[in-house]
Amino acid sequence: MQSLATLYLVILPLVMGAALAEGLWQSRTRAEAYDWKSWACSLGDLAGRRLLAFIPYTFAAPWLGWMYEHRLFTQSLDSVWSVLLLFVGLEFFYYWFHRASHTVRWFWSSHSVHHSPNQFNFAMAYRLGWIGRFTGTSLFFTPLVLLGFTPETVLTALFLNLLYQFWIHADWIPKLGFLEGILNTPSAHRVHHARNPEYLDANFGGVLIVFDRLFGTYVPERDDLPCDYGLVSPAVSSRNPVLLNFGPWIGLVKDLASARSAREVWMYLFGPPGWRADGKGLTAAELRKARILQTQEAMT
């Protein structure tokens, strides 16, 4: 994984510099104060993630090497078809990984860190959390290893996919015309990060938006509905990276301790975020239903 680590170290100063430049520019040009505490929180999250990188990746995901040893084929990147298979395959599995990260509490407990900022900017792009690599997320990409791509190739492709997504964390880039129907754009990603009930659980693509259109999760940004960023609860998130990373897991443990049946244990682990045994939860479906009822009542 040495080449991936080298690539990471080359790219890292560039994205950090871009986030700093954006923050300075917005501080001078916008009436709304730039959230420098949130910016610092993202740096703290990044620093913690780099420290965890010293833990060998095979410790977190030993199945990648095992799957490659039992691969069905052997792929090389000297063929256009192999590169295309890697790109489309990664997009497909990334879509399902990202969708599960929002709809399954086990994965959301780590992914929620990325959605915690209340401002949408470059700095939030590298706030990715500390625990995701230990929750089994690499399982989503093992089919690519089974098809014959080396673990390093898959992880490098995933890194490049995430690198593409850096620039789409911007609220100042307008809609991009016909590209909105093909690519994951800043407009599409603004919707993804919004906590408005109308926008929840949408636009999970990495580079492409086509799988969202195919599987019915694409939601366009509306001119009449500005995106409101951050977590559904709490409305104002912490700027402490330790609390952001471990708070959701502490909450999960408390809910598991209160479970009274195997079904409740399962739902707290793998049900949608916000699910409650008493039915008084804050799942995306419940929030959308409440908004629809609110709108209907306002019209009568």
Side-chain angles (χ1 to χ4, degrees), residues 153-207:
T153 297
V154 173
L155 294 175
T156 300
L158 179 59
F159 172 79
L160 294 175
N161 188 295
L162 294 174
L163 179 61
Y164 167 88
Q165 295 181 52
F166 173 77
W167 76 280
I168 64 177
H169 290 81
D171 64 358
W172 49 271
I173 299 177
K175 292 184 179 180
L176 301 179
F178 75 93
L179 291 178
E180 298 292 339
I182 305 170
L183 299 177
N184 189 13
T185 64
S187 176
H189 209 57
R190 288 193 287 268
V191 167
H192 175 73
H193 272 267
R195 61 186 173 195
N196 312 60
E198 297 87 346
Y199 288 152
L200 291 176
D201 290 351
N203 303 352
F204 299 112
V207 174

Side-chain angles (χ1 to χ4, degrees), residues 11-38:
I11 296 297
L12 189 58
L14 299 178
V15 300
M16 291 174 61
L20 177 59
E22 182 194 50
L24 293 172
W25 168 60
Q26 292 186 350
S27 294
R28 294 175 61 89
T29 60
R30 293 191 172 184
E32 180 187 13
Y34 186 84
D35 193 344
W36 287 106
K37 290 184 179 180
S38 181

Side-chain angles (χ1 to χ4, degrees), residues 125 194 297:
E297 291 175 356

Side-chain angles (χ1 to χ4, degrees), residues 261-289:
S261 67
R263 177 182 179 275
E264 289 186 10
V265 169
W266 175 267
M267 291 300 295
Y268 279 131
L269 282 171
F270 304 114
W275 182 88
R276 307 297 304 174
D278 59 8
K280 299 178 181 179
L282 290 173
T283 67
E286 290 165 341
L287 289 169
R288 280 193 294 267
K289 182 178 179 181

Side-chain angles (χ1 to χ4, degrees), residues 99-152:
R99 184 168 176 172
S101 295
H102 281 257
T103 58
V104 177
R105 186 178 180 183
W106 173 261
F107 297 118
W108 173 250
S109 294
S110 60
H111 187 62
S112 61
V113 177
H114 180 59
H115 284 260
S116 58
N118 296 119
Q119 291 183 347
F120 190 73
N121 50 45
F122 286 159
M124 74 187 313
Y126 49 76
R127 188 189 296 192
L128 300 175
W130 299 340
I131 304 175
R133 67 195 298 236
F134 304 108
T135 60
T137 54
S138 59
L139 280 171
F140 287 92
F141 303 99
T142 51
L144 291 171
V145 178
L146 192 61
L147 287 173
F149 294 103
T150 67
E152 183 175 16

Side-chain angles (χ1 to χ4, degrees), residues 18-85:
L20 177 59
E22 182 194 50
L24 293 172
W25 168 60
Q26 292 186 350
S27 294
R28 294 175 61 89
T29 60
R30 293 191 172 184
E32 180 187 13
Y34 186 84
D35 193 344
W36 287 106
K37 290 184 179 180
S38 181
W39 175 86
C41 179
S42 294
L43 281 184
D45 180 80
L46 176 61
R49 196 164 62 256
R50 292 311 302 155
L51 289 175
L52 288 172
F54 289 103
I55 299 176
Y57 196 88
T58 51
F59 174 78
W63 44 79
L64 289 179
W66 185 89
M67 291 289 282
Y68 188 69
E69 291 177 0
H70 296 82
R71 63 191 181 275
L72 301 176
F73 311 98
T74 298
Q75 302 288 346
S76 63
L77 298 181
D78 57 1
S79 164
V80 173
W81 294 110
S82 289
V83 173
L84 186 62
L85 175 62

